[in-house]
Amino acid sequence: VYSADGRLLAFAGADAVTRVWDAQANSEVRGFRGHTDWVTSVAFTPDGKGVYSAGVDRAVRAFDLGRQEAAATAGHTQPVRCAAVSRDGKYLATGAEDRTVKVWELATGKEVATLTGATDTVNAVAFAADGTLVATGDDGRVRWWTLSPVREVRAAQTGRAFNLSVAPDGKRVAVVWTRRDEKTSGFEVFAGPDDPPVQVTEKGRDLSCALLSADATLGLTGGFDGVVRVWDLTTGEKVG
């Protein structure tokens, strides 16, 4: 995942190390240790000075690029699958195999909310521009929550979902899902609650990720076949 200014790139994986690279210099800036198992998700703070990581060890760790020490917190009872920082830098959201989404106040490190309702693993979380929290996962349902007050305000059924992408304007959310019984994968873009979603489906192809262009007119999908495709979201047609 890139920092907001596109200068830094953070990634992690099976070696339990969270690495930060300077994308322009193509060199490693820092390597953070602390997890004891796979790191499943990383997220930058809006100012690019902090990195949060989540892992199979059920821990969420906070790294400061200016210091070596790492703060850790635990609250989930099963491996953590995803993490996202709000656009104002106030909150961190994490989703896990325990079927919950937890919200943490970054200034204090305290858990401020536990969101329930998912009936299976939560694979992806993201924040919209208005601060609404979006989450989805193996139960095939996308849910939107407000945090003040904490309540679910919207839901939509897709397929088994494993990736979320928020457009740069923060107003559109793309969800990648699959329905293995139908051998179909989909890329679905949600805007306002009264706007019908834009959907692209691909038969016989397993998608793994998606991104939206800055103006949300184009969508990119990547699959386990190693192919990236470009879609015109105004027509639903493949253009690359």
Side-chain angles (χ1 to χ4, degrees), residues 203-217:
K203 283 280 189 181
R205 185 172 184 238
D206 285 335
L207 299 180
S208 58
C209 58
L211 285 174
L212 295 174
S213 63
D215 60 4
T217 61

Side-chain angles (χ1 to χ4, degrees), residues 17-18 25 39-40 42 44 62 71 79 81 101 118 123 135 148 170 174 180 182 186 197 211 215 218 228 230 238:
V17 180
T18 300
V39 179
T40 55
V42 292
F44 274 106
R81 290 298 177 188
V101 174
N123 290 325
S148 183
R180 296 197 181 279
E182 301 175 10
L211 285 174
D215 60 4
L218 296 176
V228 176
V230 184
K238 184 176 72 172

